[in-house]
Amino acid sequence: MSERQDPDDRGTNHRDPQEADEVTEDALAAVGAGPPPAPIPGPATDPQESDPGHTAGNGGKERSQSLSEGNGGGMDERGVTTPALRRQAGVALALLGIVIIAVAAFTTPWHVLTGGPPDPARDFTAAQIARGEAFDAATSLPGYLSLALTLIFAGLLVATPFGAKVLGVLKGPWWLRVIAGTVVITAIVEALRWPLGMWFETILREYGLSTQDWAGWTADRLKNLGVETVLLSLMLLVLVALARHVRRWWIPAALGAFAFTVAASFVYPVVFEPLFNEFTPMQQGTLRTNLLDLAARDGVPVEDVLVADASRRTTALNAYVSGFGATRRIVVYDTLLRAPQREVELVVAHELGHAKYDDVLHGTLIGALGSAFGAILLYLVFDPLRRRTKVTSITDPRAVGALLGLMTIGGFLLGPAQNLISRHIEARADVHALDLTRDPAMFIAMQKRLATTNISDLTPNAVEYVLYASHPSSPERIAMARAWARLNGVPIP
């Protein structure tokens, strides 16, 4: 979760099978449900812009062993939460929910300049519109299949003993079984989605969006999986340890989830970004000078301007502002350098808007509060589920499957609300770019270039827009630019 927001989708609604249940983003985001914590690159994310024993059949022996290993703080002698503690947690959950709604309402720019009804035919040819629709149709099947598989598997983990049976064969101390269980469940999910990911990647190549070979694609995916697994293992280890030793474990779990989300925001640029791209200082020249001048004029301190070697992975265009304070830097995809310099400046002006309004700091705060909310909610909902999943308590290492299933379902349910907030934030950054550059004609030219290069769906349907669109559509952004021109007395492009 660096200070990073990305200006344009490859489309507004593409569903990469790798990301249908993207846990690196959502173990950085199930830990923190705010604006995606500086996404690990993957075709479904915005191309400029994780979550997710005992031996089976031992009967009473297995139950006794689990309870002796940890009588789950906040649990009675049967290993379940008590009514009094559940009431306390329920009150805390309600209060925290009110705080989250208040913070989101206060920090989200709900009233942002918009244009009239978007008219794709005004700015795009019939062939460009048809190409976006064809690409969306081509990616829909593998994307929706991946989403369905992910949710079905999560439901299986939450509503049946499947996870307990699979993880019941694991041996060793509880902490080792938690780690091993996380690895096993994550690997099963990845194995289910891998063929669909390859299908999606093939489509990207057919449309000229991917430049990777299979070795590079596999390496990126495995790195993503590794980061995901490490983060999830760490979260679950801490959660189970707290439940084993603290009576009201939801209190330290909520505080820990909050702190972890905030820490991840600062760590991401240093630890995770370099795993997926190499960054080199932009060569001295007019563009670098103009970008630094733009940031200075905007009052956004920037340490450096870097170029990311994105062309080894994609043809999509991107720029973003990463880091906080003294570590803040402008990052430009090398693919974007092929665009006219003025368009590059407009993309960066949009990104500076996110830094100017502290969008990622606010998003991190909401995400951290959301993580704390999730920890308390987990305390409340897990006890009824343990009967279905056939685990003794949340301290049972076999419960890892159910926990990951709940994270997955929770992340999916939160998606539309996150996207709604994100679209308003992105619209404000667009207005900021226009205020800073006062060039709506070039803004529209830039949006057209991004839309056609990234093969955006220019006519997204309502369901996909709600589920997947973190940005307004390109026609919406163009209509807003014309509205801005009318309000500011600038010739309407």
Side-chain angles (χ1 to χ4, degrees), residues 85-139:
L85 294 179
R86 288 173 61 83
R87 283 194 296 272
Q88 294 172 14
V91 170
L93 187 74
L95 293 175
L96 186 55
I98 293 171
V99 171
I100 292 172
I101 292 172
V103 172
F106 179 76
T107 60
T108 301
W110 299 110
H111 303 290
V112 184
L113 177 65
T114 58
D119 182 11
R122 179 173 177 178
D123 299 286
F124 299 93
T125 67
Q128 289 170 335
I129 295 172
R131 180 171 169 80
E133 291 175 346
F135 178 64
D136 177 69
T139 55

Side-chain angles (χ1 to χ4, degrees), residues 411-436:
F412 173 75
L413 294 177
L414 283 174
Q418 290 177 315
N419 287 334
L420 175 64
I421 292 173
S422 177
R423 288 193 295 270
H424 283 81
I425 290 172
E426 296 299 333
R428 180 174 64 185
D430 280 345
V431 174
H432 179 84
L434 288 165
D435 289 340
L436 190 58

Side-chain angles (χ1 to χ4, degrees), residues 342-350 433-434 437 439 442-443 446:
R342 187 63 176 161
E343 292 185 23
V344 178
E345 293 173 9
L346 264 162
V347 173
V348 171
H350 170 102
L434 288 165
T437 62
D439 194 346
M442 189 59 67
F443 180 93
M446 178 264 291

Side-chain angles (χ1 to χ4, degrees), residues 16 33 43 77 87 92 166 174-175 212 214 233 284 319 331 396-397 438 446 448 454 457 489:
D16 178 3
E77 68 276 9
R87 283 194 296 272
V166 170
W174 71 266
W175 59 266
Q212 283 188 301
W214 286 114
S233 297
Q284 296 292 338
V331 180
D396 186 341
R438 302 192 65 81
M446 178 264 291
K448 292 168 68 174
N454 299 340
D457 184 3

Side-chain angles (χ1 to χ4, degrees), residues 356-380:
K356 182 82 171 181
Y357 291 106
D358 292 324
D359 288 337
V360 174
L361 284 174
H362 293 150
T364 298
L365 174 60
I366 295 173
L369 291 171
S371 299
F373 185 92
I376 302 173
L377 184 62
L378 185 63
Y379 179 90
L380 292 171

Side-chain angles (χ1 to χ4, degrees), residues 445-465:
M446 178 264 291
Q447 289 296 331
K448 292 168 68 174
R449 180 183 298 275
L450 290 171
T452 54
T453 301
N454 299 340
I455 318 182
S456 297
D457 184 3
L458 302 171
T459 57
N461 68 56
V463 173
E464 292 185 337
Y465 190 79

